[in-house]
């Protein structure tokens, strides 16, 4: 059975759904006939966290001489989130589970840091430079997976780079000048201005939001999984690095 690794934010873990197995990513695993071997996604995760934990998994496989996943699905998030090292571990500000809560972010001891980071990382001064930074880090991960010959699917689960539907959410900016790297079909709708993320895809089509907002009903996850499955099949991503197939590099 296909061993599949997942990572992302609330969209990938299925926050506000009735079951943790109800997210688009888990439905896509089922459609691919695979098994989810790990899903460290948490609500409110930053791209920094998604990239760090994914690279840690790859490091652990290499260090322990363990098998790499057969396929990886990574749902990236809005650029304006950030991580702090706080009380012994890295934690995403306002993330669920292992994140920093508002009482910690706004505590007197952290007030200066929060103000500085808002101004320089997630406020008006950050803008396109911060987007470019994370875009470059995503491309580094893609190149690492390519080197290791691990088939993978990247997508923006929340807030695409040129996403007209989602850029205004929480002060996000639209990317201006991303280098159009050739992702060899491994990044779904990376340069799109609509259907650029799961949230924009679901919102444009009128799926119901949950009470928390920016999360969508279970049917949206089911239908989006089918969209991604069709994409994976049409691009033959599972065989991307198989030298015997026509779709290999």
């Amino acid at each position: 059975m296909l061993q599949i690794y997942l990572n992302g934010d609330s969209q990938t873990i299925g926050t506000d759904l009735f079951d943790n197995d109800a997210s688009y990513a888990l439905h896509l695993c089922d459609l691919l006939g695979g098994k989810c071997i790990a899903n460290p996604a948490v609500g409110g995760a930053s791209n920094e966290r998604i990239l760090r934990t994914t690279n840690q998994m790859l490091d652990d496989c290499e260090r322990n001489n363990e098998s790499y996943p057969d396929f990886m699905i990574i749902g990236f998030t809005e650029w304006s989130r950030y991580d702090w090292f706080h009380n012994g571990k890295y934690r995403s500000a306002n993330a669920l589970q292992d994140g920093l809560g508002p009482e910690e972010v706004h505590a007197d001891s952290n007030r200066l840091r929060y103000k500085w980071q808002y101004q320089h990382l997630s406020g008006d001064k950050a803008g396109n430079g911060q987007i470019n930074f994370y875009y470059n880090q995503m491309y580094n991960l893609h190149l690492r997976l390519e080197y290791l010959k691990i088939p993978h699917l990247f997508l923006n689960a929340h807030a695409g780079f040129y996403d007209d539907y989602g850029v205004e959410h929480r002060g996000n900016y639209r990317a201006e000048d991303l280098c159009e790297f050739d992702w060899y079909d491994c990044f779904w709708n990376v340069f799109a201005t609509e259907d650029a993320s799961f949230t924009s895809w679901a919102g444009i089509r009128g799926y119901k939001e949950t009470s928390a907002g920016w999360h969508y009903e279970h049917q949206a996850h089911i239908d989006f999984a089918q969209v991604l499955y069709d994409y994976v099949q049409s691009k033959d991503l599972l065989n991307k690095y198989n030298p015997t197939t026509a779709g290999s590099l």
Side-chain angles (χ1 to χ4, degrees), residues 194-216:
E194 61 180 34
D195 290 349
S197 66
F198 167 62
T199 51
S200 63
W201 179 91
I204 289 169
R205 284 161 180 76
Y207 288 98
K208 293 179 181 178
E209 291 189 38
T210 66
S211 57
W214 289 92
H215 296 145
Y216 289 92

Side-chain angles (χ1 to χ4, degrees), residues 2-9 11-14 20-30 32 34-42 49-50 53-54 57 69-76 151 153-155 228:
L2 207 64
Q3 306 292 292
I4 302 177
Y5 174 88
L6 311 175
N7 208 343
D9 65 357
Q11 313 299 339
T12 304
I13 198 65
N20 282 342
D21 293 334
S23 75
Y24 76 88
L26 272 298
H27 285 299
L28 180 55
C29 283
D30 290 341
L32 293 170
K35 173 185 177 183
C36 172
I37 57 172
N39 183 7
V42 296
R49 182 189 190 277
I50 296 166
T53 54
T54 300
M57 179 275 295
D70 298 317
F71 191 65
M72 294 172 58
I73 302 165
I74 310 296
F76 292 108
L153 173 67
F154 289 179
L155 66 139
L228 294 181

Side-chain angles (χ1 to χ4, degrees), residues 31-157:
L31 291 171
L32 293 170
K35 173 185 177 183
C36 172
I37 57 172
N39 183 7
V42 296
S46 65
N47 282 323
E48 182 179 350
R49 182 189 190 277
I50 296 166
L51 289 160
R52 183 181 66 252
T53 54
T54 300
N55 278 303
Q56 284 176 345
M57 179 275 295
L58 296 172
D59 290 344
D60 289 343
C61 289
E62 181 178 1
R63 183 182 307 110
N64 300 323
N65 197 28
E66 297 174 347
S67 297
Y68 293 108
D70 298 317
F71 191 65
M72 294 172 58
I73 302 165
I74 310 296
F76 292 108
T77 190
E78 60 184 87
W79 68 267
S80 54
R81 296 171 177 171
Y82 50 84
D83 279 15
W84 289 7
F85 188 84
H86 184 76
N87 286 348
K89 65 187 299 187
Y90 284 102
R91 302 158 76 187
S92 296
N94 299 316
L96 301 178
Q97 297 181 20
D98 66 347
L100 289 157
E103 70 284 354
E104 294 176 294
V105 171
H106 297 285
D108 289 342
S109 59
N110 290 327
R111 188 169 297 167
L112 178 62
R113 186 175 188 182
Y114 172 75
K115 181 179 179 180
W116 180 87
Q117 291 189 327
Y118 178 79
Q119 291 175 341
H120 296 278
L121 296 184
S122 58
D124 292 343
K125 293 182 180 180
N128 205 50
Q130 191 81 338
I131 298 173
N132 287 337
F133 172 79
Y134 282 117
Y135 179 72
N136 183 64
Q137 297 304 99
M138 293 169 191
Y139 193 63
N140 277 336
L141 177 59
H142 163 70
L143 292 178
R144 185 178 187 182
L145 297 178
E146 192 174 70
Y147 174 78
L148 294 171
K149 300 190 184 305
I150 302 174
H152 54 284
L153 173 67
F154 289 179
L155 66 139
N156 286 310

Side-chain angles (χ1 to χ4, degrees), residues 154-170:
F154 289 179
L155 66 139
N156 286 310
H158 182 46
F161 294 114
Y162 297 98
D163 190 344
D164 289 331
Y165 184 84
V167 290
E168 309 243 332
H169 180 52
R170 295 187 182 176

